[in-house]
Amino acid sequence: MTLEGILPVWKPEGFTSHDVVAKVRGILGIRRIGHTGTLDPQVTGVLPLCIGRATRMVEYIQDLPKEYEAVLRIGLSTDTEDMTGNVLEEVSLVQLDETVVREALLRFVGEIEQIPPMFSAVKIDGKRLYELAREGKEVERKSRKVTIHQLDILRMDLQQKHPEIHFRVSCSKGTYIRTLCVDIGKALGYPAVMSSLIRTSTGNIRQEQCLTFEQIKELKDQGVLQNRMIPMDQAISHIPSVELSDQEATHAQQGKRITVAKSRITGAAAGSPTLLRAYSPDNRFLGLYEWKSAGQILIPSKVFL
């Protein structure tokens, strides 16, 4: 059986996202694999891999909100904004109470501005920031807008020398949790770092669905790994859908344009969708199609024959 779909991998500590792809390629003997969002080596968590034709879904899964559990440590700062870097500043006494902390964190919910950290993969003039940082250079970075959908405090340890705040955050693509920790510290009047981070979900793919390398190998050897993979269309269930007639489905797969009234679209929020998942009458996923509201025309974008 040819494996195809989304493989929900639990990324271990010490692996880059590219390392995970290479490891799974070795286990499965499949070249066509793509990951859906970079995680730093020290970060563990949900890393969906797109296998086979599902690699065409990477960009849509990358755009989904992510959820993390993080630990913010207050009272010191580093050049990497996490505990892997060199300490730049440290204060001997931190005095905070729960009310002040809760009020500060609430101010970060919604659309916020972030300046990408120097130790990041953002490119400036063709060079990645972390490459410049390793050369001892610091360059000006433009702030960017990201969205914090939800931020919940899980636990606070405010009596220790460097108080810690354990929190869960749901955020948009491109959010740096390290930078969020640093900015929360500034709002509290202290230097701060991120001391640990776990990604607990990507879109609707959650921690409990994920497989370790050992489990992937075992299931592959048993010939049942496909049963644990997520169908590519389910991984992008946030995109509205439309059911086509047999004739429309044939035309759609031939690359022809089809007239589809908005009333036939399922799952569309306020406004008009621009991209639809199309299905045949027997619920077979046909692919992704652009929908032009002006003429109510469906145009093939990514067709799966």
Side-chain angles (χ1 to χ4, degrees):
M1 177 188 291
T2 301
L3 291 172
E4 181 174 272
I6 312 303
L7 180 63
V9 178
W10 186 256
K11 189 190 90 65
E13 188 174 354
F15 280 72
T16 67
S17 298
H18 292 293
D19 291 339
V20 172
V21 170
K23 178 76 173 180
V24 174
R25 276 182 179 144
I27 295 171
L28 302 184
I30 295 174
R31 292 294 306 166
R32 200 175 176 190
I33 300 178
H35 72 76
T36 57
T38 303
L39 282 176
D40 291 336
Q42 76 275 16
V43 178
T44 61
V46 177
L47 183 63
L49 299 187
C50 296
I51 312 291
R53 293 188 303 168
T55 52
R56 299 173 73 191
M57 299 289 110
V58 165
E59 62 188 285
Y60 306 107
I61 299 174
Q62 281 179 337
D63 286 342
L64 291 170
K66 313 292 192 300
E67 183 183 272
Y68 298 90
E69 289 186 8
V71 179
L72 158 62
R73 186 171 295 170
I74 302 171
L76 72 158
S77 65
T78 69
D79 54 0
T80 59
E81 301 186 349
D82 60 25
M83 294 305 295
T84 66
N86 300 309
V87 175
L88 301 176
E89 182 184 2
E90 186 170 3
V91 298
S92 57
L93 180 64
V94 176
Q95 292 181 308
L96 292 170
D97 66 63
E98 290 193 9
T99 301
V100 169
V101 171
R102 291 185 187 279
E103 289 175 351
L105 265 69
L106 272 177
R107 297 202 295 271
F108 286 87
V109 177
E111 189 175 76
I112 63 171
E113 298 260 350
Q114 280 194 334
I115 296 175
M118 278 302 301
F119 280 89
S120 67
V122 173
K123 277 188 175 181
I124 291 184
D125 296 331
K127 202 158 189 179
R128 299 200 182 275
L129 286 177
Y130 65 76
E131 295 173 335
L132 295 170
R134 286 169 184 163
E135 294 171 5
K137 299 175 183 177
E138 182 163 353
V139 296
E140 185 177 347
R141 290 95 70 200
K142 291 182 180 178
S143 66
R144 51 176 63 183
K145 291 181 180 179
V146 297
T147 302
I148 305 298
H149 301 295
Q150 190 170 344
L151 205 166
D152 300 309
I153 295 174
L154 303 176
R155 188 171 79 251
M156 286 189 268
D157 303 314
L158 301 182
Q159 304 310 312
Q160 55 196 48
K161 179 183 178 183
H162 292 140
E164 291 188 337
I165 301 165
H166 300 241
F167 65 89
R168 180 185 297 116
V169 57
S170 173
C171 56
S172 65
K173 171 190 176 184
T175 303
Y176 286 96
I177 307 302
R178 286 178 288 155
T179 302
L180 177 64
C181 289
V182 169
D183 291 343
I184 290 172
K186 289 177 182 175
L188 291 168
Y190 293 99
V193 294
M194 181 188 79
S195 64
S196 77
L197 183 67
I198 300 171
R199 183 193 281 166
T200 52
S201 74
T202 293
N204 59 13
I205 302 172
R206 301 198 60 81
Q207 177 176 350
E208 52 269 22
Q209 296 171 269
C210 290
L211 302 170
T212 63
F213 294 146
E214 293 75 19
Q215 290 171 320
I216 292 168
K217 185 179 188 311
E218 183 178 347
L219 291 168
K220 186 252 187 183
D221 291 343
Q222 294 172 358
V224 295
L225 180 59
Q226 185 66 51
N227 298 339
R228 294 293 299 272
M229 294 177 67
I230 301 164
M232 63 181 94
D233 60 314
Q234 287 185 20
I236 54 169
S237 58
H238 62 290
I239 297 175
S241 64
V242 62
E243 183 181 312
L244 304 179
S245 68
D246 282 322
Q247 186 178 42
E248 288 172 335
T250 299
H251 288 167
Q253 290 192 292
Q254 290 172 344
K256 296 178 181 178
R257 299 186 174 203
I258 303 163
T259 301
V260 172
K262 186 178 180 182
S263 58
R264 294 174 59 188
I265 298 172
T266 302
S272 294
T274 57
L275 193 68
L276 299 178
R277 292 175 292 138
Y279 292 86
S280 64
D282 61 355
N283 204 36
R284 183 166 49 90
F285 179 53
L286 303 173
L288 291 171
Y289 293 76
E290 289 183 57
W291 188 71
K292 303 292 186 182
S293 58
Q296 301 197 78
I297 300 294
L298 207 60
I299 303 171
S301 177
K302 298 195 178 193
V303 180
F304 293 90
L305 299 173

